[in-house]
Amino acid sequence: MSVERFVAQLCGTSTARPLPLWEGNTTGHCFTQLVLSVVPHTLLAVLSACHLGTPRNPNYNLPCNPGWYLRIATSFLLSIFPLFDLLPVALPPGAGPGPKGLEVLAGCVAAMAWLSHSLALWTLAHSPHGLTRGPLTLALAAFLPAPALVLTLLWHCQKGTLLPPFLPGPLARLCLLILQLAAILAYGLGWAAPRGPQEPWTQEPFLSSEDQEPEVSEDGESWLSRFSYAWLAPLLARGAQGELRQPQDTCHLPRRLHPAYLARAFQAHWQEGARLWRALYGAFGRHYLALGLLKLVGTMVGFSGPLLLSLLVGFLEEGQEPLSHGLLYALGLASGAVLGAVLQNQYGYEVRKVTLQARGAVLNILYCKTLQLGPSRPPAGEALNLLGTDSERLLNFASSFHEAWGLPLQLAITLCLLYNQVGLAFVGGLVLALLLVPVNKVIATRIMASNQEMLQHKDARVKLVTELLSGIRVIKFFGWEKALGARVEAYRARELGRLRVIKYLDAACVYLWAALPVVIAIIIFITYVLMGHQLTATKVFTALALVRMLIFPLNNFPWVINGLLEAKVSLVRIQRFLDLPNHNPQAYYSSDPPTEPSTVLELHEALFSWDPAGTSQETFISHLEVKKGMLVGIVGKVGCGKTSLLAAIAGELHRLHGQVAVWGLSKGFGLATQEPWIQFATIRDNILFGKTLDTQLYREVLEACALNEDLSILPAGDQTEVGEKGVTLSGGQRARIALARAVYQEKALYLLDDPLAAVDADVANHLLHKCILGVLSHTTRLLCTHRTEFLERADLVLLMEAGHLVRAGPPSEILPLVQAVPKALTENGQEPDSAKALSVQDPEKTKEGLKVEQNESGRLLQEESKKEGAVALHVYCTYWRAVGQGLALAILFSLLLMQATSNAADWWLSHWISQLKAARNSSEEMLASTSPGSPRLFSAQLLLFSPGSLYTPVFPLPKAAPNGSSDVRFYLTVYATIAGVNSLCTLLRAVLFAAGTLQAAATLHHRLLLRVLMAPVTFFDSTPTGRILNRFSSDVACADDSLPFLLNILLANAAGLLGLLAVLGFGLPWLLLLLPPLGIMYYRVQYCYRASARELRRLGSLTLSPLYTHLADTLAGLPVLRAAGATYRFEEKNQQLLELNQRCQFSSCATTQWLDIRLQLMGAAVVSAIAGIALVQHQQGLANPGHQLADPGKCGVPGCGVGVPARAAKCPGWGDLPCATWREVGHCRPNGLWSQLAIIPQEPFLFSGTVRENLDPQGLYEDRALWQALEQCHLSEVIISMGGLHGELGEGGRSLSLGQRQLLCLARALLTDAKVLCIDEATASVDQKTDQLLQQTICKRFANKTVLTIAHRLNTILNSDRVLVLQAGRVMEMDSPSALCNQPHSLFQQLLQSSQQGGPSSLGGP
């Protein structure tokens, strides 16, 4: 049975007109029931079913809005009324107005639709949607059946149902019809009812209980909810209400995306030395390959559009087929568009989930590898780039691989279909496409090479920025912001140079492939005509649709290749990092314990080095045994290898040969490094370091490490937060907190690397007697120190020289070899004549206090803020100015020209086809179809009103006989000319856009760097380095690459939308009537999406910074983590941070797909509307494919997802004195004044580069002056061994020991001609002999200058003119050294006695 016969039988009509649109003065009843009633009710049922799986909130007990109850009640009544309406129809003699079959079908569909709708409303009312009106689309769908009811009511009025004689059947149906309309009106009142009071979404704290969190998750949802993303409704509602403020407000991760699951799945296929891609394939590859089938089916469905379009245009053009065929073609076109949209959307969603799986696994393995790194470690900047940039580029493979085979397949099928349409005429276009393949390969190769170089320059830039941030105080002290900023800009310039090559090559590639379809179309049409064929609307529109389908594979293939190449580059870089040697205690230490049971540590013929090749200074220990409970002192000149020996024992060096045996190795070490590692946390958290609080032990540790008085003056005691790396603490406080952390771990073996260097003699005595000889008396201790007076009670002293253990023995035998006698006062109490200097001595027992003002809670870390709501206008203006106003206007102008010429080409082709059709019919029809008085497109009967001026015909053009060669040449010439102009505009737009985005990238980075370098020091005290590095790494990469990519799509879609509106307004003006409802729907959809997507992108960036900070923190404190056995805890913390970031990424991905499916369905609705209008025109005899059938390939709704403590006024400690001095100077910052000041900081600041660059960053001095300064600091021999002034120091100057770094900073100060020199513990890590020589150099070099010396070694300041003694931030004493020594109760005298006697002073605690 044909479709016409079935419809005619159902409607009781003839097969000639099975579905009459108009009967009498109103629409046909069959059309009303089937099209205006059954279809809307079906849509309502489907939308309602999608919301049946909305997650319910079990704890949601607030009273529901009364409007919900009214809507539920009316929906339930509306499900009953159609069933009652069937009774008059079923009972004889029938109540019309249509056949029983038609009425039963319409009534049953309506009853099922309203029943499902009432259930959906009940579900939504008991979900968080109950606080709102619910989804707008669902409410709008409820009003779609209303027109059918109104038209039926008009039918009853025309038939006189209310006029006598009254018939019970029709009268009952009329009453039920009025009740249905009243119910729909009541439904509208219920929807419009005011909403109840708004309640917060999250009433329970995060992670308090998994069951108490508001459930917004994909797991457990129905397939309809998954396809429509209805489960995202609560999340989108939160975004619309501005309640997406924290990562915890996002949806839960599906089980297969949880970091713990991903870690287990990946580790099952990962082993050391394996290839990363193999492990990723084993864990996630099978599911990913299976998605290829979904991709294949979606691609095949996508080709149904051009084929059905060809059939539909042929049906409209020939008019020989029955109407049922046209209906099938239109329905097929609409169904194919919907099915293709769903398949493509689900494919993209599933691929993105696999990408997130791989991302979680890669980020987790990168962090795990960081915890396992051996001595050969990459710079922090390179590791951060691996975490941010390379991991993202590697994951581009997931979206590119299936496209790599899908695009050629799509291209092949398209060419095959083209052959079926135009025969061999397509060969010319194919040859042109093949000729561009080698060109594309050359471009892709250049892009890959430039990309590799760009990443290297980016590594260097981020590494330098990392170093500059670590030494920002010194940079500001010396006023080096401009000089070192220029170094960063130099790296950035090289990076931008490579990026410029990439962008212009991309522009050329995109232009070639974007212009190719137009050229192919011209060649095909010319060849087709020259071969003797005649163009028809069917051939042209089908060929154009197929050629436009070439745009996607040809235009995207270069991006796919580029993505694969970038993924390969990043894979190599990540694999190189994963292949670095691990820290392997089983191989490093001897498997056998020491030979003697009483021996804790034994080294025999052991040779160590910082690099596996042994090119750096080696540390050799012929034989060393350390008994249990011994205190072992390690002494020697600066750079002799003391720190290397402790690092070798801790397993942080390469063991080249020999044996290292440690008793109780599994229990770890107590490690206090020379440069204290402090976390950005509270003081208590730093000391506990993950262990449970033992109050008694905690108090003992605080007392032993002289921290009680410090804590008593802090804002929140031990709950006070300290800055990153302890920047808000003094050097002595950092050293004591690090020591307290080691003591609290309760280990059997302690490695203490000069913890007494940063404290004064009194506090050093306290630490020695209360801590090292007190709390730790039962442990084995190895103590490195230059303060040999504190080693007299050691059991064994080791003397190191040039990396070798030269002697070992009791203190009485070894100490005289290294001790330097302090210069005592003269007999008459007068100090010898020396440089006029003001020395400031710090009693470490004083309360140094924090350098950054904190609140009463002691919280220092400022939570990373984010903007809320719409992106502010000034953000767009900033980017506009960064591009440049002239360049930005040129880009927009070229974009409009490109779209205008594209529309002109389409219009000219449409005009040509119209003339062909008109000429083929008759010359009279041609004149009638193009004259101003031609018939209108539709009659008043069709639209119930007169269209008036809604249609404007194409203006007439002079025409010749279309079959003549001159006429063909004329049309082809004009078409080719317009296409050529469009090609030039495309090229111009691509080049201008690349230039504009490059200019914006350079400008934004320059402004960012300038703002950071000019920020006050307090900003760096309260801002983690990882947060700043996130701006310079990921966010800069976004401005360089992601933002231009999305902006390009936005501009192209915006221009395409304008062009589409112009085409619709010109060819089918009354189709514009669909725009208002579509516009409303689009506005609501994009409003919900933008409000949520904007916040999710911000949260994604917000949660990425802690990952950066955590990785950088881990790299800095890796030895301490291993020694304390805290690696597992840090790995768990990383998984928690990763989970929050993954939640934001997944939520952002899901909302993007939510938008995508809705936009594609709206586009499918437009295609269906156009096909339906074409059928209506065909049935009315008004169809003209040349003018009125817009290209469905261009119809859609373009969517784009864009996306974009103040310092205390009174410094309480001596360490703040230079800070205060330089801060006051910094208010005016005159260059002349800065040149008169110099400071040698307590913590040496060196950066990656040569010795010369570190000594003289501004390039002001000659080599002779540099060598002279190095000789005065006794560093010339060391620098010569490194290769002279052009020798590389490595990141942070790691090629030198800490003492040598301090000496290099001293040499830097000696170069200046400063009038005032401040020396802040600059020789704390230098042996006493070298210290004496340096003091003589300073006295001689700055004989006529003012010198402020902050020192714990009192012998270094005995030659000063004045001594100023601080306690608790107050000046207690100030006089000459001799005068203070002669005062009986002088604090200075007590300190001097403590340092000379090596015993505790009467001052007591710190």
Side-chain angles (χ1 to χ4, degrees):
M1 180 185 294
S2 65
V3 176
E4 289 90 343
R5 187 174 301 174
F6 173 76
V7 174
Q9 185 177 353
L10 181 65
C11 297
T13 57
S14 64
T15 55
R17 296 187 64 197
L19 189 64
L21 303 181
W22 203 262
E23 292 180 350
N25 295 323
T26 184
T27 56
H29 183 68
C30 187
F31 177 81
T32 301
Q33 292 291 70
L34 286 182
V35 178
L36 300 182
S37 179
V38 173
V39 173
H41 279 112
T42 303
L43 179 62
L44 177 64
V46 172
L47 291 177
S48 300
C50 292
H51 291 281
L52 287 175
T54 301
R56 299 175 179 84
N57 190 350
N59 298 325
Y60 185 76
N61 298 317
L62 294 175
C64 196
N65 186 356
W68 282 100
Y69 292 122
L70 181 58
R71 292 166 66 187
I72 294 173
T74 54
S75 298
F76 184 72
L77 290 175
L78 284 169
S79 69
I80 297 177
F81 288 155
L83 299 179
F84 285 137
D85 191 43
L86 294 179
L87 294 176
V89 175
L91 296 176
K100 292 182 180 180
L102 178 64
E103 301 297 329
V104 170
L105 174 65
C108 292
V109 171
M112 292 300 298
W114 285 109
L115 180 62
S116 64
H117 187 66
S118 62
L119 294 176
L121 290 178
W122 185 89
T123 303
L124 291 170
H126 291 80
S127 74
H129 279 291
L131 296 174
T132 66
R133 293 189 176 98
L136 177 64
T137 54
L138 194 62
L140 291 177
F143 293 99
L144 292 180
L149 297 177
V150 173
L151 291 175
T152 306
L153 181 62
L154 290 177
W155 181 89
H156 279 286
C157 293
Q158 291 178 358
K159 294 298 182 181
T161 304
L162 294 176
L163 299 176
F166 297 106
L167 300 176
L171 189 61
R173 296 201 67 188
L174 178 61
C175 294
L176 288 173
L177 182 64
I178 295 174
L179 288 176
Q180 292 182 62
L181 287 172
I184 290 181
L185 179 62
Y187 182 97
L189 294 175
W191 180 82
R195 290 178 289 179
Q198 297 296 308
E199 295 291 332
W201 283 92
T202 55
Q203 301 178 358
E204 300 293 336
F206 178 55
L207 295 181
S208 60
S209 172
E210 193 72 20
D211 296 333
Q212 294 177 347
E213 290 188 7
E215 294 183 2
V216 184
S217 176
E218 181 188 23
D219 290 338
E221 294 292 328
S222 65
W223 63 272
L224 279 175
S225 179
R226 288 173 182 257
F227 281 175
S228 64
Y229 304 93
W231 57 273
L232 276 176
L235 178 71
L236 296 170
R238 296 180 198 177
Q241 296 174 6
E243 295 181 357
L244 283 178
R245 299 187 180 95
Q246 298 178 353
Q248 292 85 350
D249 297 330
T250 59
C251 56
H252 291 298
L253 288 173
R255 184 181 66 87
R256 291 182 173 272
L257 287 181
H258 198 278
Y261 171 84
L262 297 178
R264 290 194 302 270
F266 183 80
Q267 290 294 339
H269 300 85
W270 173 259
Q271 58 183 1
E272 193 59 37
R275 299 292 91 185
L276 177 61
W277 70 269
R278 289 183 181 274
L280 289 174
Y281 171 77
F284 317 113
R286 293 175 181 84
H287 176 61
Y288 174 70
L289 291 181
L291 294 177
L293 296 176
L294 191 61
K295 168 74 174 174
L296 181 62
V297 175
T299 301
M300 295 303 165
V301 171
F303 283 102
S304 65
L307 296 178
L308 290 170
L309 175 65
S310 174
L311 295 174
L312 181 60
V313 174
F315 168 82
L316 297 175
E317 189 176 27
E318 302 298 333
Q320 303 298 324
E321 299 181 71
L323 176 63
S324 60
H325 289 187
L327 288 174
L328 288 178
Y329 299 152
L331 289 176
L333 195 63
S335 302
V338 172
L339 182 60
V342 172
L343 291 176
Q344 292 293 341
N345 178 269
Q346 286 297 307
Y347 165 75
Y349 180 56
E350 292 299 325
V351 165
R352 185 57 184 162
K353 287 204 293 186
V354 173
T355 303
L356 287 175
Q357 284 183 316
R359 178 179 185 267
V362 169
L363 295 187
N364 185 70
I365 195 62
L366 283 175
Y367 186 79
C368 292
K369 180 63 180 183
T370 302
L371 291 176
Q372 300 170 2
L373 282 175
S376 300
R377 298 169 195 161
E382 182 178 335
L384 292 175
N385 270 346
L386 292 176
L387 180 72
T389 305
D390 288 292
S391 61
E392 294 297 331
R393 293 194 171 199
L394 172 63
L395 300 178
N396 287 339
F397 176 85
S399 59
S400 300
F401 175 75
H402 282 314
E403 298 294 340
W405 62 263
L407 295 181
L409 175 64
Q410 185 174 346
L411 183 64
I413 297 176
T414 304
L415 293 175
C416 181
L417 294 177
L418 268 176
Y419 173 75
N420 291 332
Q421 289 294 325
V422 297
L424 294 177
F426 88 98
V427 174
L430 177 62
V431 171
L432 179 62
L434 293 178
L435 289 177
L436 288 181
V437 172
V439 178
N440 184 65
K441 182 179 183 301
V442 173
I443 294 177
T445 304
R446 290 288 305 276
I447 289 177
M448 185 179 73
S450 299
N451 186 57
Q452 288 178 321
E453 296 178 24
M454 185 188 70
L455 288 178
Q456 293 174 358
H457 296 318
K458 181 174 183 178
D459 284 343
R461 175 178 59 83
V462 175
K463 181 174 72 172
L464 181 58
V465 170
T466 306
E467 295 172 346
L468 297 189
L469 292 176
S470 66
I472 193 66
R473 275 183 166 78
V474 179
I475 293 174
K476 291 187 173 295
F477 285 156
F478 284 95
W480 288 344
E481 293 97 330
K482 184 178 295 185
L484 294 181
R487 282 181 54 107
V488 178
E489 289 288 4
Y491 282 116
R492 176 64 174 170
R494 289 193 283 269
E495 181 185 358
L496 286 176
R498 296 296 91 197
L499 182 64
R500 183 172 292 104
V501 173
I502 293 174
K503 289 296 182 183
Y504 282 125
L505 287 176
D506 278 343
C509 202
V510 168
Y511 163 71
L512 290 175
W513 294 103
L516 184 61
V518 179
V519 179
I520 288 178
I522 294 174
I523 294 176
I524 288 176
F525 293 148
I526 292 176
T527 307
Y528 189 75
V529 171
L530 294 179
M531 290 175 65
H533 302 290
Q534 184 172 341
L535 289 176
T536 63
T538 303
K539 297 291 184 183
V540 169
F541 278 112
T542 305
L544 275 180
L546 290 172
V547 169
R548 286 198 177 102
M549 289 190 70
L550 293 176
I551 293 178
F552 183 79
L554 296 180
N555 195 25
N556 284 275
F557 198 70
W559 297 99
V560 170
I561 298 300
N562 190 29
L564 291 175
L565 295 177
E566 287 182 350
K568 179 184 176 182
V569 172
S570 294
L571 176 64
V572 171
R573 285 164 53 86
I574 294 177
Q575 188 68 55
R576 189 185 305 123
F577 174 78
L578 295 176
D579 289 340
L580 290 175
N582 278 354
H583 173 71
N584 188 356
Q586 289 75 22
Y588 187 88
Y589 297 100
S590 175
S591 57
D592 299 325
T595 54
E596 296 291 334
S598 60
T599 302
V600 175
L601 174 65
E602 182 177 3
L603 285 79
H604 182 70
E605 297 296 328
L607 180 63
F608 307 95
S609 177
W610 287 100
D611 62 89
T615 56
S616 62
Q617 176 177 303
E618 297 177 346
T619 301
F620 177 72
I621 308 297
S622 59
H623 186 75
L624 173 64
E625 283 191 18
V626 178
K627 304 295 184 182
K628 291 181 180 179
M630 289 182 64
L631 172 59
V632 180
I634 306 174
V635 297
K637 294 180 63 176
V638 59
C640 65
K642 300 182 295 297
T643 298
S644 297
L645 175 58
L646 293 186
I649 297 172
E652 298 298 326
L653 264 66
H654 294 279
R655 181 178 60 81
L656 303 182
H657 60 75
Q659 294 182 349
V660 182
V662 179
W663 179 84
L665 180 63
S666 60
K667 299 179 181 179
F669 311 100
L671 179 62
T673 56
Q674 191 175 20
E675 298 178 84
W677 175 67
I678 305 295
Q679 290 183 275
F680 203 147
T682 64
I683 294 177
R684 173 180 289 189
D685 290 340
N686 270 284
I687 295 175
L688 297 182
F689 203 55
K691 285 192 65 176
T692 306
L693 176 64
D694 183 338
T695 306
Q696 181 63 30
L697 175 62
Y698 185 68
R699 290 175 179 172
E700 292 178 2
V701 170
L702 291 181
E703 171 62 26
C705 295
L707 285 170
N708 281 323
E709 292 193 16
D710 294 88
L711 297 180
S712 65
I713 66 171
L714 294 179
D718 63 353
Q719 293 296 330
T720 303
E721 278 191 347
V722 298
E724 191 173 21
K725 300 180 182 178
V727 69
T728 58
L729 300 173
S730 71
Q733 287 172 326
R734 288 196 293 272
R736 285 179 285 138
I737 290 175
L739 179 61
R741 176 180 59 211
V743 173
Y744 192 82
Q745 300 304 309
E746 295 185 293
K747 304 295 184 182
L749 176 61
Y750 280 85
L751 308 178
L752 309 176
D753 194 355
D754 216 356
L756 308 178
V759 298
D760 62 82
D762 191 40
V763 175
N765 274 315
H766 182 102
L767 295 177
L768 177 67
H769 292 87
K770 296 292 184 68
C771 181
I772 298 175
L773 298 177
V775 177
L776 299 181
S777 59
H778 63 286
T779 66
T780 304
R781 296 137 291 164
L782 278 74
L783 174 63
C784 285
T785 183
H786 289 294
R787 306 178 72 166
T788 56
E789 63 270 20
F790 296 108
L791 292 179
E792 293 179 356
R793 298 183 60 178
D795 301 296
L796 179 68
V797 177
L798 309 178
L799 177 60
M800 299 292 296
E801 185 175 339
H804 289 67
L805 176 59
V806 293
R807 294 194 64 173
S812 58
E813 180 182 339
I814 303 298
L815 293 184
L817 301 176
V818 294
Q819 281 180 334
V821 181
K823 293 184 178 181
L825 298 177
T826 59
E827 292 281 337
N828 56 8
Q830 300 293 326
E831 59 273 17
D833 189 17
S834 64
K836 295 181 179 180
L838 173 65
S839 295
V840 182
Q841 207 284 332
D842 165 43
E844 185 67 58
K845 69 188 185 68
T846 61
K847 306 166 185 178
E848 298 157 18
L850 286 174
K851 302 177 185 175
V852 175
E853 185 178 339
Q854 298 179 332
N855 53 31
E856 294 182 359
S857 65
R859 184 167 180 79
L860 173 68
L861 173 62
Q862 302 297 317
E863 294 293 340
E864 186 170 1
S865 61
K866 68 177 182 67
K867 297 291 184 181
E868 295 184 357
V871 178
L873 178 62
H874 72 86
V875 177
Y876 297 105
C877 294
T878 299
Y879 195 79
W880 177 278
R881 289 193 297 269
V883 173
Q885 293 189 3
L887 197 54
L889 290 174
I891 292 173
L892 293 180
F893 183 69
S894 63
L895 182 69
L896 293 177
L897 277 180
M898 183 188 73
Q899 186 62 42
T901 52
S902 176
N903 284 7
D906 291 341
W907 171 82
W908 181 257
L909 192 61
S910 174
H911 171 71
W912 183 10
I913 299 304
S914 298
Q915 303 314 310
L916 288 174
K917 178 178 174 60
R920 187 178 58 184
N921 293 331
S922 67
S923 59
E924 291 80 12
E925 292 179 1
M926 177 187 68
L927 293 175
S929 64
T930 57
S931 63
S934 60
R936 291 167 182 167
L937 289 179
F938 42 81
S939 63
Q941 289 183 337
L942 181 61
L943 290 182
L944 304 179
F945 62 87
S946 177
S949 60
L950 286 180
Y951 170 66
T952 302
V954 179
F955 57 84
L957 289 175
K959 291 169 287 294
N963 293 329
S965 59
S966 61
D967 192 67
V968 171
R969 188 180 303 110
F970 167 71
Y971 282 110
L972 286 177
T973 302
V974 174
Y975 183 70
T977 302
I978 298 175
V981 174
N982 174 259
S983 176
L984 292 178
C985 292
T986 303
L987 176 62
L988 180 64
R989 176 227 171 193
V991 173
L992 289 176
F993 186 82
T997 54
L998 283 169
Q999 178 63 33
T1003 303
L1004 292 176
H1005 181 272
H1006 175 73
R1007 292 178 182 174
L1008 172 65
L1009 179 65
L1010 186 64
R1011 292 295 296 272
V1012 169
L1013 290 179
M1014 294 304 165
V1017 178
T1018 52
F1019 168 77
F1020 301 96
D1021 292 340
S1022 59
T1023 306
T1025 301
R1027 188 181 299 172
I1028 304 175
L1029 289 177
N1030 191 14
R1031 305 288 89 81
F1032 279 96
S1033 182
S1034 291
D1035 290 351
V1036 168
C1038 178
D1040 290 349
D1041 189 28
S1042 302
L1043 180 58
F1045 179 75
L1046 294 175
L1047 182 60
N1048 196 13
I1049 295 175
L1050 171 65
L1051 293 176
N1053 283 345
L1057 179 60
L1058 292 177
L1060 176 63
L1061 293 177
V1063 170
L1064 291 178
F1066 191 76
L1068 286 173
W1070 60 287
L1071 188 63
L1072 297 177
L1073 295 175
L1074 290 176
L1075 292 183
L1078 282 176
I1080 294 174
M1081 293 178 63
Y1082 178 75
Y1083 174 78
R1084 294 292 301 180
V1085 167
Q1086 67 87 26
Y1087 175 78
C1088 292
Y1089 168 76
R1090 288 179 63 237
S1092 300
R1094 190 171 51 231
E1095 302 305 319
L1096 290 173
R1097 284 185 176 274
R1098 288 168 175 165
L1099 288 174
S1101 179
L1102 199 72
T1103 53
L1104 191 60
S1105 295
L1107 282 172
Y1108 278 80
T1109 301
H1110 191 59
L1111 179 64
D1113 212 20
T1114 301
L1115 275 172
L1118 200 51
V1120 178
L1121 295 180
R1122 290 172 179 163
T1127 54
Y1128 180 74
R1129 179 169 61 86
F1130 269 64
E1131 187 175 350
E1132 282 189 332
K1133 177 66 179 299
N1134 183 72
Q1135 284 205 353
Q1136 293 174 3
L1137 297 175
L1138 180 58
E1139 179 184 358
L1140 288 179
N1141 184 254
Q1142 288 278 89
R1143 285 179 65 169
C1144 298
Q1145 297 287 344
F1146 171 70
S1147 300
S1148 179
C1149 160
T1151 51
T1152 301
Q1153 297 303 118
W1154 177 92
L1155 174 70
D1156 176 75
I1157 189 63
R1158 279 152 179 79
L1159 292 181
Q1160 291 204 53
L1161 290 178
M1162 291 170 70
V1166 174
V1167 172
S1168 304
I1170 293 175
I1173 291 171
L1175 287 177
V1176 171
Q1177 290 183 342
H1178 171 73
Q1179 194 173 21
Q1180 298 296 322
L1182 300 172
N1184 186 349
H1187 282 306
Q1188 279 75 44
L1189 186 62
D1191 182 8
K1194 281 192 167 185
C1195 294
V1197 182
C1200 56
V1202 182
V1204 184
R1207 184 177 298 278
K1210 295 181 180 179
C1211 300
W1214 59 263
D1216 297 327
L1217 181 60
C1219 298
T1221 303
W1222 261 254
R1223 186 174 64 250
E1224 293 302 321
V1225 172
H1227 287 310
C1228 51
R1229 293 179 66 92
N1231 294 331
L1233 184 57
W1234 273 110
S1235 63
Q1236 303 304 314
L1237 302 174
I1239 186 171
I1240 307 174
Q1242 184 175 11
E1243 294 184 358
F1245 166 62
L1246 300 174
F1247 49 85
S1248 298
T1250 64
V1251 176
R1252 162 173 270 286
E1253 291 170 340
N1254 276 272
L1255 277 177
D1256 184 20
Q1258 296 174 301
L1260 302 177
Y1261 302 98
E1262 297 180 354
D1263 289 359
R1264 180 179 177 183
L1266 301 183
W1267 280 113
Q1268 184 179 0
L1270 291 172
E1271 290 173 359
Q1272 291 173 346
C1273 294
H1274 307 279
L1275 271 180
S1276 56
E1277 294 182 2
V1278 176
I1279 299 304
I1280 291 174
S1281 65
M1282 294 176 56
L1285 295 177
H1286 296 287
E1288 292 288 337
L1289 290 180
E1291 185 180 16
R1294 60 182 177 182
S1295 300
L1296 301 174
S1297 70
L1298 181 60
Q1300 290 169 336
R1301 283 177 245 166
Q1302 286 186 329
L1303 294 179
L1304 194 61
C1305 291
L1306 176 60
R1308 180 192 291 157
L1310 294 178
L1311 285 171
T1312 65
D1313 192 24
K1315 302 298 182 183
V1316 179
L1317 174 67
C1318 182
I1319 305 174
D1320 185 3
E1321 285 290 339
T1323 58
S1325 299
V1326 178
D1327 62 277
Q1328 294 186 8
K1329 288 183 177 179
T1330 305
D1331 188 15
Q1332 285 188 3
L1333 296 174
L1334 292 176
Q1335 295 303 322
Q1336 295 175 8
T1337 300
I1338 293 172
C1339 290
K1340 181 180 179 181
R1341 177 68 175 77
F1342 295 95
N1344 298 319
K1345 311 293 172 52
T1346 301
V1347 179
L1348 290 86
T1349 304
I1350 302 172
H1352 293 305
R1353 295 174 180 171
L1354 299 188
N1355 61 299
T1356 63
I1357 64 170
L1358 291 179
N1359 294 334
S1360 301
D1361 297 295
R1362 293 288 184 273
V1363 172
L1364 185 146
V1365 182
L1366 294 176
Q1367 186 174 22
R1370 298 179 181 274
V1371 177
M1372 306 301 296
E1373 298 173 351
M1374 182 173 178
D1375 210 333
S1376 64
S1378 58
L1380 292 177
C1381 288
N1382 292 331
Q1383 295 179 11
H1385 300 292
S1386 169
L1387 293 175
F1388 180 72
Q1389 185 187 35
Q1390 296 177 29
L1391 289 170
L1392 187 61
Q1393 291 174 355
S1394 298
S1395 63
Q1396 292 177 345
Q1397 296 174 3
S1401 70
S1402 60
L1403 290 177

